[in-house]
Amino acid sequence: MIVMKFGGTSVEDAAAMRQVIEIVRRKRALSPIVVASAMAKITDTLIRCAQLAHQGHEDDAQRLLNETVAARHRDAAAQLVTTEPQRSVLLERIDHHLNELRTLLHGLAILGELSPRSLDTVASYGERLSTLILAAAMREAGLDAELLDARQFIITDDRFTKATPLMDLSAPRARALLLPVLHRGAIPVTQGFIGATPHGITTTLGRGGSDYSAAIIGALLDADAIEIWTDVDGILTTDPKLVPHARLLESVTFQEAAELAYFGAKVLHPSTILPAVEKNIPVYVYNTKNPKSPGTRITAREAQPTPPGTLKAIAYKQGITVINIYSTRMLLAHGFLHAIFEVFDRFETSVDLLATSEVSVSLTIDDTRHLDKIVSELQKFSTVTVERERAIICLVGEGMKHTPGIAARAFGAIRDININMISQGASEINLSFIVHEADVPTVIQRLHREFFER
Ligand code: ADP
Ligand code: ASP
Ligand code: MG
């Protein structure tokens, strides 16, 4: 059995869904489970609607809902399902979801509040609507698809907007609901991104979380493979949005993929790799718009070891804030780092990069919701400065181990650009540093030229 996950652009409209259906049809013999994202941009729009409603602009929120969310789903459904009564039934179900959304937005407007919990409920409609249509369209195209609600078997904790799956609670439910469908030869279709607490309250796994859902389902059911179908040929040497001629990588290791995802390569959600690693399930990345491309295979070990001194890929993560913490009194005395991390821990803010000197600690965060509170706590025992609009650049590759020449080449290629906080993880397969956000395109293009275009 395999898990096939289709991202937002892969299900963005009727034409895209038709391609998905043909890709699934060709893999039918492998017993696929289909996991889908919301149509492209729909999650953003739903969140925007919720924010507008809560800020008192209910009319704008409802208009946005009607003009984009309602229109795009009704349009795709009408194109994909033309047989009656299936078509009317589907349109009625879509309208039912849309009416619930309208009521929810009205509620947010009246209450004037928007909790993470409400936000998750609103956001969940993106995946619920896309899969409702995809499953009906698959049946219309002659595939025996059965829509399953992921909230029945992806059980999570209640950290709304970034919930963590509870695998022990999820496993028996996933097996009980999904396996019988597979056994009778049908194709389960379910939502990425969403889950529910043990009490049945809707949660989400964090933005981009559909990849994570696919990996969770693959791990829960011991799948033979997890396939991430997206809008690029696979994992490339860097983001093709900055370097259009970036090269396709035939294979990367779990560890390389994890570093790339963690440091911003959006092609995979950072949490995707862990469930797959634990069960040693290979992950493949393929292009829905170019299904003949060989894609990228992510596996435990390298198929062919990369020659020492070579890179695999370059990632970047924008929207980074650097916090510099100076201790004049303590000189990094015992307990100083502990005191710092206790503050970040208390405000549930994770730290990406860290560099220390005799009298200071610099670290980076991307979640700035609690920045003001964090800074004022830190100021109780140190002097603090904050630099915004920074980005992390990260070079990744197993071939970097014990090869100091890489740093010299990298910094030589961007010697006129201001960089700081250079750091190398213990795994030795990444080298990261901070630049100003505005320098990202130049830095990525020059590094790509240096390492991949010679
Ligand atoms: P989906 O909606 O299918 O989940 P995403 O937009 O989340 O797709 O991820 C795919 C995007 O990831 C690509 O369009 C590309 O711009 C971006 N990306 C960033 N780094 C890389 C990389 N190294 N290789 C491939 N894609 C990358
Ligand atoms: N639809 C969700 C998002 O836009 C999850 C995903 O696409 O992976 O974040
Ligand atoms: Mg994604």
Side-chain angles (χ1 to χ4, degrees):
M1 171 256 303
I2 63 169
V3 179
M4 304 178 78
K5 175 262 170 174
F6 294 91
T9 43
S10 303
V11 295
E12 66 186 344
D13 54 21
M17 285 204 195
R18 282 201 186 100
Q19 282 173 306
V20 167
I21 292 169
E22 290 321 307
I23 290 167
V24 175
R25 196 196 300 280
R26 270 179 251 134
K27 299 255 180 170
R28 198 159 38 161
L30 299 175
S31 302
I33 295 174
V34 173
V35 177
S37 291
M39 286 178 163
K41 306 262 159 59
I42 289 292
T43 310
D44 286 335
T45 306
L46 289 170
I47 292 172
R48 183 82 196 113
C49 288
Q51 284 165 343
L52 282 169
H54 132 88
Q55 289 158 359
H57 308 295
E58 194 195 340
D59 290 349
D60 295 337
Q62 301 285 5
R63 193 174 323 117
L64 187 58
L65 186 75
N66 289 334
E67 284 171 6
T68 56
V69 183
R72 282 180 62 192
H73 290 94
R74 292 185 58 92
D75 185 52
Q79 287 187 52
L80 289 162
V81 181
T82 49
T83 328
E84 287 296 355
Q86 287 85 335
R87 177 194 175 95
S88 310
V89 171
L90 175 61
L91 288 172
E92 240 168 66
R93 290 205 178 124
I94 291 172
D95 283 344
H96 183 78
H97 281 68
L98 291 168
N99 283 332
E100 283 179 0
L101 266 170
R102 291 186 183 106
T103 311
L104 274 166
L105 292 180
H106 184 59
L108 295 176
I110 290 181
L111 293 169
E113 69 93 58
L114 182 58
S115 62
R117 176 175 160 166
S118 326
L119 203 56
D120 274 356
T121 298
V122 173
S124 74
Y125 281 85
E127 270 70 10
R128 286 158 63 194
L129 282 162
S130 67
T131 49
L132 181 63
I133 297 169
L134 181 62
M138 285 170 71
R139 285 192 295 272
E140 176 92 0
L143 293 175
D144 186 2
E146 184 168 330
L147 181 62
L148 294 171
D149 191 330
R151 295 172 299 171
Q152 310 266 306
F153 58 88
I154 302 285
I155 309 304
T156 72
D157 62 14
D158 62 359
R159 291 175 64 226
F160 296 101
T161 74
K162 48 174 191 294
T164 303
L166 305 171
M167 298 299 269
D168 290 346
L169 286 180
S170 305
R173 299 212 202 178
R175 273 188 226 116
L177 288 165
L178 291 157
L179 293 182
V181 179
L182 288 172
H183 287 153
R184 64 177 176 74
I187 304 174
V189 176
T190 192
Q191 302 83 22
F193 184 52
I194 70 172
T197 67
H199 297 291
I201 313 297
T202 301
T203 55
T204 67
L205 304 173
R207 295 306 306 274
S210 294
D211 300 334
Y212 193 16
S213 302
I216 295 165
I217 294 170
L220 290 173
L221 300 180
D222 279 315
D224 298 311
I226 296 161
E227 300 185 351
I228 305 293
W229 288 83
T230 181
D231 61 353
V232 284
D233 278 349
I235 299 184
L236 309 173
T237 45
T238 195
D239 186 353
K241 291 197 173 85
L242 292 187
V243 180
H245 51 280
R247 281 207 318 259
L248 174 65
L249 295 168
E250 191 183 314
S251 76
V252 301
T253 63
F254 281 128
Q255 213 174 11
E256 288 170 335
E259 302 276 1
L260 284 172
Y262 183 74
F263 289 107
K266 205 184 150 202
V267 64
L268 274 186
H269 183 280
S271 307
T272 307
I273 300 300
L274 192 64
V277 173
E278 280 169 354
K279 293 269 173 108
N280 206 0
I281 302 172
V283 179
Y284 297 84
V285 181
Y286 293 122
N287 190 348
T288 306
K289 304 269 148 74
N290 182 20
K292 292 218 173 72
S293 168
T296 301
R297 183 188 161 105
I298 306 169
T299 47
R301 260 174 300 282
E302 287 186 290
Q304 288 149 348
T306 27
T310 56
L311 279 194
K312 266 300 184 43
I314 309 167
Y316 66 95
K317 191 167 167 184
Q318 283 169 307
I320 295 295
T321 298
V322 176
I323 306 175
N324 303 302
I325 306 154
Y326 307 88
S327 158
T328 38
R329 274 180 295 131
M330 297 184 186
L331 290 180
L332 282 196
H334 172 75
F336 184 55
L337 277 177
H338 176 81
I340 291 172
F341 279 111
E342 191 280 321
V343 173
F344 286 89
D345 204 39
R346 202 174 341 136
F347 293 102
E348 294 192 355
T349 299
S350 55
V351 168
D352 287 331
L353 226 57
L354 177 79
T356 64
S357 80
E358 179 68 21
V359 291
S360 71
V361 174
S362 295
L363 44 77
T364 70
I365 60 171
D366 65 356
D367 174 1
T368 52
R369 278 178 299 175
H370 305 297
L371 182 61
D372 291 346
K373 280 176 269 175
I374 289 171
V375 169
S376 64
E377 285 300 306
L378 293 171
Q379 279 170 336
K380 290 182 181 163
F381 58 87
S382 58
T383 306
V384 181
T385 63
V386 173
E387 301 164 19
R388 291 166 212 265
E389 292 169 25
R390 295 304 193 267
I392 301 178
I393 304 288
C394 182
L395 312 182
V396 175
E398 303 272 1
M400 290 174 69
K401 282 184 184 156
H402 321 297
T403 49
I406 293 218
R409 276 176 76 189
F411 300 137
I414 52 169
R415 61 169 70 84
D416 54 327
I417 288 170
N418 212 352
I419 64 171
N420 54 44
M421 279 190 72
I422 299 164
S423 91
Q424 179 162 47
S427 65
E428 284 192 77
I429 68 162
N430 83 59
L431 176 72
S432 317
F433 52 89
I434 298 295
V435 299
H436 205 282
E437 224 170 39
D439 290 327
V440 167
T442 311
V443 168
I444 293 290
Q445 281 150 12
R446 287 219 216 139
L447 291 174
H448 196 269
R449 206 173 309 141
E450 172 65 32
F451 289 102
F452 301 109
E453 299 170 43
R454 286 187 162 216

